[in-house]
Amino acid sequence: MIRYLTTTAIMAVAMTTAASAQAEAARIRFDIKPSDTATALNGFARQAGVHLVFPYDAVAGRRVAALHGSFTRDEALHRLIAGQGLVIAEQTASMISLKVAPVETPKEIASTTGADIVVLGQGQSRQVQTVSAKAMEKTTAGSSPLRSLSRLPGVNFDSSDAHGTYEAATQLSIRGFLTDQMGYTLDGVPLGNMQYRNNNGLSINRALLTENNGAATLSQGSGALGTASTSNIGGTVDFTSIDPTARFGVDLEASYGSASSWRTFVRVNSGDLPWGGRLALSYAHDRQGKWKGWGKQVQDQINAKYVQPLGDSVTSTTFLDLIDRREDDYNDTSLARLKTYGWDFDNIPTFALAERLATITQNGGTPPAPYVNADDSVYQGGGVRRDLLAYEKLGYQLSSRLSGFTTGYIHLDKGIGTWADPYDPTPAAYGGSPISVSANRYDIDRKGILSRLTFKAGDHKIEGGVWYEHNAFNQANYLYGLQAGVAPSEFQKFYTNPFHTTYSNQYTTDTVQLDISDTWQATDHLRLNAGVKGVVSTNHAHSIVSTKPIDGSIKAENWFLPTAGVLYTLDGHNELFADYTRNMAAFVASTSSGPFSSSSQAGFNYIRSDLKPEMTNTFEAGYRFHNRDLQLSLTGYYVKFTNRLLASSISATVVGNQNVLQNVGSVSSRGVETAANWRFAPHWSLYGSWAYNDATYDDNVQPLGGAVIATKGKQVVASPKNVGNAELNYDDGTLWGGVTAHYRSARYYSYLNDAVLPGAVNFNLSVGYRFSRLLDVQVNVMNLFDAHYIASTGTAGFVTSDPNGTYTTLQAAAPRQVFATVRAHF
């Protein structure tokens, strides 16, 4: 770890002194008549094409003069809010939050009062919502930002740990699509599909410290046309990182809670340096204990961000993330095992017992109580991940009408997934234990570049972009020895000297994406947008060691993926929107999934000529309302998911599934999503959302060489039909609190829908007190009423049928847990 951090720290210093950038806003033609301030600001939001959140009460009775002419977004906004008692609290490319100008008092925390927790897509021609950074700050320290997104309509997020950071059991479900069918970006940089055995990216928890999260935007149907992703057929999540501040400051945080979990965090902002740059350096050490069994999740993470203006029209932004994460697994369970062993059953408690059970597994015999079968549990499993993610961004204003940015990025990952294997004993020469360590090794080397231009021509805004990425991914499985009778002092590590190599494969993926679009403000009330993108992703595979080697290539290509949308503004409070998007998912290049997970070279050759990439056609239409106290959103949608890929597994997950992949028809998703955010009294707000999703398979399935499976009309696995949220919040600037409730209806983990998980509701509570602008405390209670329910499902894949509930692919939710956090700001 020391060598790793030393090497990467040297890189951080080098990168901090390099030139990088963020785009300065292009000039926009504004035409705002003299009016009350609220109406003028809403007009600004429409004409600038951004979400704008501001405290209506603070501008009641105020008026602004007319604003006509071409201005940058910042120039226009500053003119409008001059003398209005407002300042910018938070700003991204698509969202601006205003707050009451701070007053220097001992308990000044105006930045948190009056801010919406969710912005319901105002000014967008598609279904989109943004969760504010302030909302994420009120979650348990170190929590995944995905947990904050679960309040949005139609979003069901589950994890077996309270923080939502245990990667093997993190699951997102939206409109019948799961985690790896979504697209994810950080400041525009692709994070891949965020699946656990990732071949092309990393999770947001490893990419960015929780405390450095800015606003996060979810597009349920499709993201922006130029989103850098080859997996976003089910939607897009765009994360942002906060910028360094203009003033010097130090932020300290310490958190402690259930299962002896603790976290420490420090961030230093340089403020404006003599040469005009700003630097923020952050570090966190996080240790989360498991709530059952034994083990922990431990990580050390560093973030650095440096912003440097280069003249009047160019800005440079450099970002660096380094992380070393080690996590012990929660064992998968089944409905039958929950009945037999209870909700707290997990790892085998001692190595001696684990060796005894492994011997019984290999030779037969009767396991000791309480075990029914000798392999109902394992001694240990988990993983280690070391990542370096960095980008360099140059934003430039080429003329009053033409602006753009270029971002280069690199991601290096070294990973291992371990499992105490009771089936393959260690040879005597390697230690002689009846247990060995089965380990999947992963190495990712991604490099890419993104570049976009925006041209303003009267009422038209023309945008175009290019994205290229080269990804080299190595995957291998080894067996390592353990010493008989000696409990491993460190199970999660990078092992050496394997006694057996199961396979070792190399993959490369080259992706090119081009897009162009036009947004036309046809009238004061009508805005139209249309565009098209093309994508080609080519995968190559080479087997180094394998009993069934596969060498070859496969390509996913489509140069006509159109999008179109319309936004009609009825008045300053009401708007209608509709959109259509077509999208394609590239093939996965991996031994565990995708075309190269086929059982043989002959199998791969057989399928690759006919295999088609998955496609979606998404139609949406909706209505939004907003005024000083109320936001409303109502959206209906229809999604046709075609060329669905299904892998028929012929081996166990732990050795890297060997599959036969085929297209098996389509899925139809129809649904309604609604949300409301109501400030019903001073300092009080009530937020709620509800979504109904009918996602069903359109076809029966016949696996290669198998019988027909009657899936037609069955509900999509892991996808609840109903998802609801309710949230009551109070914040008077000193005391704040909130209670949330999340409901998901019944889900299935079998394609025939004979294995059902009952619906469940989970309550969380948070309270905090701000002693001053220098010190605050908060307490979070997760699973307030200590409910027992299944969180993630399909962690070992889904099954055709499981009427007796014996398939081990479930994760139980964490019980009630309490965490306390203290923050100091200097």
Side-chain angles (χ1 to χ4, degrees), residues 92-117:
T92 70
S94 60
M95 192 274 286
I96 301 173
S97 176
L98 303 180
K99 65 178 182 180
V100 176
V103 178
E104 293 296 333
T105 65
K107 296 188 176 183
E108 180 270 309
I109 21 85
S111 61
T112 61
T113 44
D116 285 321
I117 57 170

Side-chain angles (χ1 to χ4, degrees), residues 110 168 190 192 255 285 301 307 317 349 390 439 469 478 501 568 617 626 638 649 657 660 742 769 788 794:
S255 177
H285 175 79
Q301 189 171 7
V307 178
T317 303
E469 179 178 282
Y478 304 99
T501 301
Y568 188 80
N617 288 276
H626 67 278
Y638 171 73
S649 177
N657 287 5
V660 177
H742 178 80
Y769 188 83
H788 282 175

Side-chain angles (χ1 to χ4, degrees), residues 525-678:
H525 296 281
L526 179 64
R527 189 167 77 219
L528 305 171
N529 66 273
V532 64
K533 74 175 178 180
V535 181
V536 57
S537 182
T538 306
N539 303 321
H540 300 273
H542 173 61
S543 294
I544 300 172
V545 176
S546 179
T547 57
K548 296 179 179 179
I550 296 177
D551 289 82
S553 63
I554 192 169
K555 180 189 294 185
E557 181 177 19
N558 196 312
W559 290 106
F560 186 69
L561 298 170
T563 185
V566 56
L567 176 72
Y568 188 80
T569 304
L570 300 172
D571 53 37
H573 304 291
N574 299 272
E575 62 184 25
L576 302 170
F577 70 93
D579 71 289
Y580 162 75
T581 300
R582 188 182 188 204
N583 228 326
M584 178 192 76
F587 296 119
V588 175
S590 168
T591 309
S592 303
S593 60
F596 301 117
S597 65
S598 297
S599 56
S600 66
Q601 181 74 51
F604 172 71
N605 292 340
Y606 177 79
I607 66 172
R608 72 170 168 179
S609 58
D610 296 323
L611 207 63
K612 299 176 182 178
E614 294 179 325
M615 303 283 297
T616 53
N617 288 276
T618 301
F619 303 84
E620 295 178 326
Y623 163 78
R624 301 187 190 100
F625 170 85
H626 67 278
N627 65 15
R628 56 187 260 174
D629 296 322
L630 183 65
Q631 287 188 80
L632 293 173
S633 175
L634 176 65
T635 302
Y637 63 86
Y638 171 73
V639 183
K640 192 70 169 181
F641 173 23
T642 57
N643 303 334
R644 183 171 72 93
L645 291 171
L646 178 67
S648 302
S649 177
I650 59 173
S651 70
T653 302
V654 293
V655 298
N657 287 5
Q658 295 295 306
N659 304 312
V660 177
L661 195 68
Q662 64 184 118
N663 295 114
V664 292
S666 61
V667 173
S668 294
S669 294
R670 308 167 185 84
V672 176
E673 297 165 343
T674 184
N677 198 10
W678 180 30

Side-chain angles (χ1 to χ4, degrees), residues 614-778:
E614 294 179 325
M615 303 283 297
T616 53
N617 288 276
T618 301
F619 303 84
E620 295 178 326
Y623 163 78
R624 301 187 190 100
F625 170 85
H626 67 278
N627 65 15
R628 56 187 260 174
D629 296 322
L630 183 65
Q631 287 188 80
L632 293 173
S633 175
L634 176 65
T635 302
Y637 63 86
Y638 171 73
V639 183
K640 192 70 169 181
F641 173 23
T642 57
N643 303 334
R644 183 171 72 93
L645 291 171
L646 178 67
S648 302
S649 177
I650 59 173
S651 70
T653 302
V654 293
V655 298
N657 287 5
Q658 295 295 306
N659 304 312
V660 177
L661 195 68
Q662 64 184 118
N663 295 114
V664 292
S666 61
V667 173
S668 294
S669 294
R670 308 167 185 84
V672 176
E673 297 165 343
T674 184
N677 198 10
W678 180 30
R679 298 179 190 170
F680 61 90
H683 313 308
W684 289 91
S685 68
L686 180 64
Y687 170 81
S689 69
W690 190 271
Y692 172 80
N693 173 55
D694 180 22
T696 56
Y697 300 111
D698 295 332
D699 309 274
N700 293 328
V701 173
Q702 185 170 13
L704 296 174
V708 173
I709 302 172
T711 56
K712 184 176 182 179
K714 302 296 185 182
Q715 186 172 323
V716 171
V717 290
S719 179
K721 281 195 172 183
N722 293 277
V723 176
N725 292 279
E727 187 167 346
L728 177 65
N729 288 285
Y730 175 83
D731 193 337
D732 65 10
T734 299
L735 175 68
W736 64 268
V739 60
T740 66
H742 178 80
Y743 168 77
R744 84 279 286 155
S745 61
R747 296 168 289 163
Y748 300 97
Y749 63 89
S750 66
Y751 292 108
L752 291 180
N753 288 180
D754 59 0
V756 60
L757 305 175
V761 61
N762 177 45
F763 289 84
N764 299 316
L765 174 70
S766 58
V767 294
Y769 188 83
R770 305 179 182 99
F771 294 93
S772 71
R773 63 184 179 87
L774 302 179
L775 181 67
D776 58 86
V777 298
Q778 77 178 53

Side-chain angles (χ1 to χ4, degrees), residues 292-512:
K292 65 176 180 176
W294 57 275
K296 57 188 178 296
Q297 283 85 50
V298 179
Q299 71 179 40
D300 292 277
Q301 189 171 7
I302 295 172
N303 283 174
K305 192 170 186 180
Y306 181 71
V307 178
Q308 175 67 57
L310 303 174
D312 294 332
S313 58
V314 179
T315 306
S316 161
T317 303
T318 304
F319 175 84
L320 174 68
D321 169 69
L322 302 169
I323 185 168
D324 185 317
R325 177 176 174 84
R326 299 163 188 263
E327 65 180 22
D328 294 323
D329 282 342
Y330 290 92
N331 278 311
D332 287 337
T333 189
S334 67
L335 295 177
R337 286 187 183 180
L338 287 173
K339 292 179 181 178
T340 301
Y341 298 111
W343 290 81
D344 293 335
F345 183 72
D346 197 57
N347 299 47
I348 297 171
T350 67
F351 189 66
L353 177 58
E355 288 191 313
R356 180 182 175 190
L357 291 173
T359 301
I360 293 172
T361 298
Q362 295 159 25
N363 301 316
T366 302
Y371 298 95
V372 177
N373 297 299
D375 60 354
D376 274 351
S377 182
V378 298
Y379 174 69
Q380 184 58 285
V384 183
R385 296 290 189 274
R386 289 179 177 173
D387 292 275
L388 180 154
L389 175 68
Y391 71 75
E392 179 74 21
K393 182 177 181 181
L394 286 173
Y396 32 81
Q397 184 80 35
L398 301 177
S399 71
S400 61
R401 294 185 177 183
L402 184 63
S403 63
F405 70 85
T406 298
T407 301
Y409 63 89
I410 182 173
H411 170 219
L412 305 176
D413 170 80
K414 180 181 180 182
I416 186 171
T418 63
W419 179 65
D421 182 353
Y423 306 106
D424 298 294
T426 298
Y430 288 82
S433 172
I435 299 174
S436 62
V437 178
S438 177
N440 283 327
R441 299 291 295 264
Y442 312 91
D443 292 288
I444 299 174
D445 183 346
R446 288 193 303 142
K447 301 179 181 72
I449 188 168
L450 304 120
S451 190
R452 298 194 64 76
L453 288 173
T454 300
F455 180 69
K456 298 282 188 176
D459 294 323
H460 293 266
K461 182 175 74 172
I462 301 170
E463 296 181 273
V466 59
W467 168 44
Y468 170 73
E469 179 178 282
H470 175 78
N471 178 26
F473 173 61
N474 299 328
Q475 187 176 9
N477 179 265
Y478 304 99
L479 294 178
Y480 298 94
L482 292 175
Q483 187 68 40
V486 179
S489 59
E490 184 182 20
F491 196 85
Q492 310 306 345
K493 65 180 182 179
F494 289 101
Y495 290 83
T496 58
N497 192 27
F499 67 82
H500 176 72
T501 301
T502 309
Y503 63 80
S504 177
N505 299 319
Q506 295 178 338
Y507 305 96
T508 60
T509 301
D510 289 281
T511 301
V512 176

